[in-house]
Every structure is written in structure tokens, then in C-alpha cells.
Amino acid sequence: MPAKVVVIGSLNMDLVTRAPRLPRGGETLIGQSFTTVSGGKGANQAVAAARLGAQVSMVGCVGSDAYGEALRGALLAEQIDCQAVCTVEDSSGVALIVVDNNSQNAIVIVAGANGALTPEVIDRFDAVLQAADVIICQLEVPDATVGHALKRGHELGKTVILNPAPASRPLPADWYAAIDYLIPNESEASALSGLPVDSLSTAETAAARLIAMGAGKVIITLGSQGSLFADGKRFEHFPAPKVKAVDTTAAGDTFVGGFAAALAAGKSEVEAIRFGQVAAALSVTRAGAQPSIPTLSDVQAFKAP
Ligand code: RIB
């Protein structure tokens, strides 16, 4: 039986334009292309975990519109269990994304139906959480729901991962004790710790602070610089595989989903980090959120250039 990963979080339809560069305030740019792509940090992490070997259940909400149908269909096509994906009377979540010629992006999200994922919905699908080996949450659904899900996952003795994305402020202090792995990027680590994070040494200081705040273990993702692991006893830097980036959208989600799938399958933390990094590196060589996420055989076939 493949290991079971449960993802609690957002589903968004991504409205993606490519432009020569990101627009400045008040500026109108001529874009080069427009595509509509299934995304949302929760759904992307679910797809990553499924393509990378786990049996996955998604807990979330979509709207009663065409995007909602498409978002659910994209997960079902990956054999992801959607019994806990509710349809509500609202618009589905959307993300407006601009990707520039340097493969950098800027994203604005509108929560829509993701806002209907309440603690009561989590309780209604408690059996789904009970069947998990690993539970993953992010921050594109209401804070009360995230806190509730983290604590319930911990109470059930599951491995609990929080990818605090997007984060612009500290987390509630009482969440930390429920988190086994906290996986922020540099700006999220800075927002959570209140410390600048712009180098390996500042990332170590921030990771130590987050562990002192109560997180079990911390992995700060550093983009092309790889990632930093901290467990309170040691730090380890994992350089990223070198690839030619096309679009970094969902690279963090691919890392989180891949790390969770590998951990759930019984790999060590070190193996799971390396596996997640190869998956994330492959994802940045392709455009879009879910279309860019590699399969297990893509990762196994990867050879560092
Ligand atoms: O992490 C990438 C995701 O962020 C996109 O798919 C978009 O939906 C936003 O949630």
C-alpha cells in the first residue's frame, strides 16, 4: 500500500500571463501569452505528492462554477481522493500570475471558496485525517482552520507539515507545538521569525529562532541556493540541482509534496529533502503550476547536468 498523504488547503484557478518583466505600480504592459492552469498551493502539493508516489486525499473547497469543476477534475485525473473537496455557493479561488522573462513571478490570490474551509469541515472529514500518515497544511485557507487541522493532526499522532505560504506576519504561538516540519521560503522565514533572511547564515539564525518558538524541525527553502535543514542540534545545507529555469511557479509546492511523499514512504529526512529538491528543480524547467510537476519516473531519471 502506498503511504497516505492528506493535504488540507486551497484550490485556485491560475490566470497566467507572460510578460517581458513584472509591471511597476500604475504601469500597463503588453503581455506575450495568457493561459488558465489548475493551481492553488494545497492542490499543487496534493498533485506533487500523488505524482511522486503517495496515495493522496485532498480536503478543500471549490466554487459552484466551471473553475470548480475543472479544479476537482484535475485532482481526480491524478487519482487523488476528493471525497473531502466540497462545492460551495461562491466563486472558486483564483490566482492572477505574471511570469517574466527571467522566470520570476508575481501573484495575487482571491480566496473565494477557499474561505469556506472552516474547522467544522475538517471535523466532518475526521476519518480522512485519521487515515493519513502525513498531513500538510498551507496558509491560503482561514487561519482558524489551519490551526485546528494542525492540532488535530498532532493529536492523532500524524506527521504534521506546515508550509506557511503565503506569510506576512508571525504565526499564532500555539500552533508551533503541533508542527513536526515547518517549511518556509526565505521571506516567510523572515516574516515568522522577525529576522532578516538573505544568506545561509541568516537562515540558520532564523531557523534556530523558529525551533526555539516550538517548531519540531525547520527546512528553509532558498530557491536556487537549495535548502537549509535545522532540528535544534545541527544545521545542514542542501545545494539545489542546477537547471535552466523557465517558470518557478509551484516549485515550493513541488518540494513540499515530494518531501512529504518520500517521508511517508519511509525515506530518511535527508533522502526526502534531496528527492523534493530534484522534483522542484524539474518543475522550474516547465511552465505553469500543476502541469510543471514531475512524476516519480521523471525524478528517478534525473541526472545532474
Ligand atoms: O505556489 C503557487 C500557487 O500559488 C499558484 O498555483 C497559485 O494558485 C498560488 O496559490
Side-chain angles (χ1 to χ4, degrees):
M1 275 289 278
K4 189 90 202 272
V5 171
V6 173
V7 181
I8 299 168
S10 59
L11 301 94
N12 294 330
M13 189 55 78
D14 291 353
L15 312 179
V16 187
T17 58
R18 285 204 81 107
R21 56 181 174 74
L22 304 182
R24 287 187 278 271
E27 184 182 28
T28 300
L29 286 179
I30 309 282
Q32 296 153 336
S33 65
F34 173 73
T35 44
T36 307
V37 181
S38 295
K41 293 184 194 303
N44 296 344
Q45 292 174 18
V47 169
R51 286 191 191 155
L52 295 165
Q55 190 186 330
V56 180
S57 294
M58 177 81 204
V59 183
C61 295
V62 294
S64 52
D65 53 13
Y67 287 164
E69 280 301 298
L71 291 167
R72 179 192 301 277
L75 297 191
L76 290 172
E78 305 290 340
Q79 278 75 53
I80 293 170
D81 164 39
C82 289
Q83 62 172 298
V85 176
C86 306
T87 301
V88 300
E89 285 304 314
D90 199 345
S91 307
S92 293
V94 291
L96 312 179
I97 303 181
V98 183
V99 182
D100 74 11
N101 283 348
N102 294 319
S103 72
Q104 295 307 303
N105 63 43
I107 304 181
V108 176
I109 58 167
V110 180
N114 294 307
L117 187 65
T118 59
E120 292 69 36
V121 178
I122 303 301
D123 288 344
R124 201 183 327 144
F125 294 105
D126 195 62
V128 174
L129 275 66
Q130 287 180 34
D133 295 303
V134 174
I135 293 175
I136 313 176
C137 298
Q138 327 73 31
L139 300 182
E140 289 185 336
V141 296
D143 280 1
T145 308
V146 178
H148 188 72
L150 295 173
K151 289 173 193 169
R152 181 61 182 148
H154 181 68
E155 190 176 81
L156 289 168
K158 309 301 180 186
T159 297
V160 176
I161 297 176
L162 177 65
N163 169 226
S168 52
R169 60 191 185 290
L171 298 178
D174 65 341
W175 288 12
Y176 279 94
I179 302 169
D180 295 302
Y181 293 94
L182 181 66
I183 311 184
N185 66 16
E186 287 159 289
S187 68
E188 291 151 3
S190 178
L192 267 48
S193 65
L195 298 168
V197 180
D198 51 15
S199 64
L200 206 50
S201 70
T202 54
E204 288 186 359
T205 308
R209 168 77 64 89
L210 294 169
I211 286 177
M213 290 162 88
K217 298 174 184 178
V218 173
I219 303 169
I220 301 182
T221 57
L222 305 165
S224 61
Q225 301 306 306
S227 56
L228 174 81
F229 170 84
D231 64 1
K233 297 187 212 76
R234 71 189 178 94
F235 299 108
E236 187 167 351
H237 176 225
F238 294 84
K242 296 272 175 279
V243 289
K244 186 169 167 18
V246 170
D247 179 358
T248 59
T249 307
D253 298 331
T254 303
F255 175 80
V256 171
F259 173 77
L263 208 60
K267 304 272 188 218
S268 70
E269 283 159 352
V270 166
E271 289 168 324
I273 290 170
R274 292 207 171 109
F275 179 83
Q277 283 190 321
V278 171
L282 284 169
S283 79
V284 308
T285 65
R286 303 168 184 165
Q290 290 170 26
S292 74
I293 297 170
T295 62
L296 189 54
S297 50
D298 293 332
V299 172
Q300 286 164 343
F302 176 78
K303 296 218 177 4

